[in-house]
Amino acid sequence: MANNKEKNNKANEENQVVAAENSTENKESGTEIKETTGAAVEIYDEDDNIDLHDTPVKKKRFKKRWIVLGVVVLLIAFFVVRGVLATKNAVVLVDTYEASLGDIENVLSISGTVESAETKTFFSDVTAPINEINVKVGDKVKNGDMLYTYDAESIELAKKTAELSITQAKGSYNSLYSGTAAADRQYAQGMNAQQINARLDAITAEIDTINNKITEKTNRINQTIKDIQNTMQDVNQNGIGDNYEQYFENGNTEFITRIEDSSSDNKEPSAENRQASLALQQTLTDVQYKLNTDQEILAWKNQVTALQEEQSHLQSAKASLVNPGTAQSTKAQYESTELTQNDTISKLEKAAEGVKADFNGVVTAISAVEGATVTTGAQVLSMANLDDVQVSISVSKSDLPKISVGQKVDVTINGKAYNGEVTQISGNATKNNNGVAVVATTIKITNPDSDIILGVEANNKIHAEKAENTMVLPYEYIQTDSDGDYVYVVEEGLVKRKNVTIGIATSTDAQILEGISLGDRIITSDTSILTEGMPVVDNAQLGG
């Protein structure tokens, strides 16, 4: 302010000097000039028709006029400069907003189409006529509702046919594997034909060896018996008359009346001969008993019997191994038939109960006709699940970074509010009808009900980015130029620029990640008249 005052004084002095000079010249030339305020100059000139070159006096007047015009220009320039300086040094009153913490959330509004996350087509598990179809396209059905039934007589006939197929296959199998054939294979389990032949040869040799032992011991015992009999015969023939020898030559070993002397034909035998004869008889009996009960011979015979049994089984097993392909084929055929027909029987039993809905849904298509026979695998009808509903949306590339799986969504379908959640974001972008690249995204309805209609449009508000207890500014207070985003703040009575980094942004607010601090006074007034370093007064500090 002092500088402006000095400049004004100096200008006034200069004006006074110029005015004095003009007064002197005017007196000499006879031209009158009025100047009273310095803000306006009145010039009274001669007639413009007068030629200034005619006389020296005219030239002098012309020169004085240009001097006056120059003074006027200087005065105008002075007042302009003084106004600019006064404006520059003037203190501007501004409104401010105190930087503070808050919450910010970016909610995206994207419409989409309601659809079922699960559709099911019912195919016939049996070949049978359809008895009755209980629904039509568009019907909403509940879990457990009867959809359609089969003809009962046809189902029962098909079941009996399947059971008969199992019986026939089982009979063919048993004819090959029943009886002694099954037992024979146990003896040859894990053996091939060459191994069976080797074992049969070993059994034959072993039986021969044991039989030789039995024969040898039996011969020895028989010889002992024969020797005992001869001894008994000798004892009995001692003192026997010749007319009685014939009885003993025929092997008669019974006691007889012996002739002891020639004076008598028959007398009782002597005690000595009788005792010897009884002893020999007992020995003979013991040896004959041993022949039939000898433990070693019996053990050998048992071994021979076991070997002969094994030999018989192996010979049968060897015969069955001549064509193993037939045996394996028969077994495989039986097992396959049993598996397939048991599955068919199970499906027939289930079909006899009718086909029911296994979820709450809506019928979307019917392919069968009542009374017509459907074959196994034929399509009967289709349903869409109303318990598993989703909304399909297309997200642009600008919104894609804001979307993530798990985000909550407010869904509105036919004016009714539902809860949703982002469950899937496609990894492949496609182009919409306008040629814009979009990414298919799925929103699952977490609380569906029977009021939902598939195929209609749903309004979705996705709760995308969110930050709590963070620096938040109204978006209108943030300026942008070639150097980036910034705000003007008041510091020590002066305007200061602070560059900021924006995080989450909505249509009204912005999260400030860097650049300002809590409590900074953000200028909210018209910033077009502000420059950095300009002195300002915060209206809030004046109580405004």
Side-chain angles (χ1 to χ4, degrees):
M1 298 292 293
N3 292 333
N4 291 336
K5 187 174 182 180
E6 292 176 357
K7 291 179 179 180
N8 291 336
N9 294 334
K10 186 176 181 180
N12 291 332
E13 293 175 356
E14 292 177 352
N15 290 337
Q16 293 175 358
V17 172
V18 172
E21 292 178 353
N22 289 339
S23 177
T24 305
E25 292 178 357
N26 289 337
K27 290 180 179 179
E28 295 177 353
S29 60
T31 302
E32 184 180 1
I33 298 178
K34 295 181 179 180
E35 180 178 357
T36 59
T37 62
V41 178
E42 298 180 6
I43 301 176
Y44 298 92
D45 203 354
E46 299 291 334
D47 189 355
D48 290 337
N49 294 325
I50 300 174
D51 188 357
L52 298 177
H53 297 280
D54 292 342
T55 62
V57 176
K58 292 180 181 180
K59 290 182 180 180
K60 188 175 182 179
R61 290 178 180 176
F62 179 79
K63 180 177 180 181
K64 289 179 180 180
R65 187 174 63 179
W66 279 104
I67 292 174
V68 173
L69 290 174
V71 172
V72 172
V73 171
L74 289 175
L75 289 174
I76 294 174
F78 165 75
F79 286 114
V80 170
V81 171
R82 186 175 66 174
V84 171
L85 292 176
T87 301
K88 181 176 181 180
N89 294 321
V91 177
V92 179
L93 187 64
V94 295
D95 295 325
T96 60
Y97 173 87
E98 182 177 354
S100 59
L101 300 179
D103 300 337
I104 186 170
E105 182 178 21
N106 195 346
V107 179
L108 301 177
S109 295
I110 305 176
S111 62
T113 303
V114 180
E115 59 187 28
S116 175
E118 178 190 7
T119 57
K120 180 177 181 179
T121 298
F122 290 81
F123 298 93
S124 178
D125 289 332
V126 299
T127 297
I130 295 292
N131 181 51
E132 184 178 8
I133 299 177
N134 302 320
V135 294
K136 56 184 180 294
V137 175
D139 283 354
K140 289 185 177 181
V141 297
K142 295 181 179 179
N143 186 10
D145 287 352
M146 185 68 69
L147 300 177
Y148 57 93
T149 57
Y150 292 97
D151 180 69
E153 293 183 359
S154 299
I155 292 294
E156 186 62 25
L157 178 61
K159 181 180 176 182
K160 291 181 178 179
T161 302
E163 291 172 343
L164 180 61
S165 297
I166 295 177
T167 302
Q168 291 175 340
K170 187 176 182 179
S172 298
Y173 172 76
N174 289 338
S175 65
L176 183 62
Y177 283 89
S178 62
T180 58
D184 292 340
R185 288 183 176 80
Q186 294 297 322
Y187 284 87
Q189 187 173 7
M191 300 173 64
N192 55 34
Q194 184 178 0
Q195 291 171 327
I196 292 175
N197 287 331
R199 178 56 184 161
L200 287 173
D201 292 341
I203 290 174
T204 300
E206 193 172 350
I207 290 175
D208 291 342
T209 300
I210 295 174
N211 283 333
N212 290 335
K213 291 179 180 180
I214 294 173
T215 300
E216 181 182 357
K217 190 167 186 178
T218 301
N219 289 339
R220 288 199 311 269
I221 295 174
N222 286 331
Q223 184 62 45
T224 300
I225 292 173
K226 186 175 182 181
D227 291 343
I228 293 172
Q229 290 174 339
N230 290 335
T231 302
M232 289 178 66
Q233 186 175 8
D234 290 343
V235 171
N236 288 335
Q237 289 178 350
N238 185 20
I240 301 299
D242 292 338
N243 56 334
Y244 290 99
E245 288 183 358
Q246 58 180 332
Y247 296 104
F248 300 99
E249 290 175 353
N250 294 330
N252 188 357
T253 59
E254 297 295 329
F255 291 112
I256 62 174
T257 301
R258 300 176 186 277
I259 301 174
E260 298 292 344
D261 53 39
S262 58
S263 64
S264 177
D265 291 336
N266 294 298
K267 290 185 177 181
E268 291 292 329
S270 65
E272 181 180 355
N273 287 336
R274 186 177 180 84
Q275 186 175 3
S277 179
L278 290 173
L280 287 171
Q281 181 63 43
Q282 183 63 44
T283 300
L284 178 62
T285 301
D286 291 341
V287 173
Q288 288 176 336
Y289 178 79
K290 184 174 181 60
L291 178 64
N292 297 321
T293 61
D294 184 78
Q295 294 299 313
E296 188 173 27
I297 292 176
L298 291 177
W300 285 337
K301 287 182 178 180
N302 289 336
Q303 290 181 20
V304 170
T305 301
L307 289 170
Q308 288 174 340
E309 182 179 358
E310 181 182 0
Q311 185 181 49
S312 176
H313 287 307
L314 288 175
Q315 288 172 344
S316 298
K318 178 182 176 181
S320 67
L321 293 176
V322 173
N323 188 9
T326 301
Q328 293 177 358
S329 175
T330 303
K331 181 180 180 181
Q333 183 177 1
Y334 164 61
E335 292 176 346
S336 175
T337 301
E338 185 177 38
L339 180 64
T340 301
Q341 296 305 321
N342 278 334
D343 181 65
T344 299
I345 292 172
S346 177
K347 291 178 178 178
L348 287 168
E349 292 175 345
K350 186 176 180 181
E353 300 174 356
V355 178
K356 300 178 181 180
D358 48 9
F359 53 76
N360 297 326
V362 57
V363 178
T364 58
I366 297 178
S367 305
V369 178
E370 287 185 358
T373 299
V374 292
T375 59
T376 301
Q379 180 175 329
V380 180
L381 60 79
S382 298
M383 281 182 56
N385 194 339
L386 289 178
D387 293 331
D388 192 1
V389 181
Q390 64 187 24
V391 179
S392 179
I393 64 174
S394 297
V395 180
S396 65
K397 64 178 182 180
S398 60
D399 289 333
L400 186 60
K402 305 173 185 177
I403 302 293
S404 63
V405 173
Q407 290 174 338
K408 302 303 179 183
V409 185
D410 297 330
V411 182
T412 302
I413 303 174
N414 292 333
K416 188 173 182 178
Y418 296 90
N419 299 326
E421 180 179 334
V422 177
T423 56
Q424 184 179 12
I425 301 174
S426 175
N428 180 47
T430 59
K431 291 188 177 181
N432 59 17
N433 295 333
N434 297 325
V436 178
V438 293
V439 176
T441 301
T442 301
I443 299 172
K444 179 180 177 63
I445 305 299
T446 58
N447 59 335
D449 58 25
S450 59
D451 293 335
I452 292 179
I453 298 177
L454 302 180
V456 301
E457 184 179 56
N459 296 321
N460 311 285
K461 294 186 179 298
I462 303 173
H463 296 268
E465 305 163 297
K466 183 178 181 180
E468 297 178 346
N469 198 32
T470 186
M471 191 76 69
V472 178
L473 282 182
Y475 215 112
E476 59 183 309
Y477 301 159
I478 303 172
Q479 312 300 319
T480 303
D481 60 13
S482 59
D483 294 331
D485 299 318
Y486 68 94
V487 295
Y488 279 137
V489 301
V490 178
E491 285 190 3
E492 299 180 355
L494 299 177
V495 176
K496 183 175 182 180
R497 170 181 172 139
K498 285 192 175 183
N499 294 327
V500 295
T501 301
I502 296 177
I504 300 173
T506 68
S507 60
T508 58
D509 298 313
Q511 177 191 20
I512 306 302
L513 301 177
E514 295 179 348
I516 62 175
S517 302
L518 190 66
D520 282 354
R521 306 297 302 186
I522 312 299
I523 297 177
T524 63
S525 303
D526 182 12
T527 58
S528 62
I529 63 172
L530 302 180
T531 58
E532 189 169 16
M534 176 183 292
V536 292
V537 174
D538 189 350
N539 190 34
Q541 296 177 351
L542 298 178

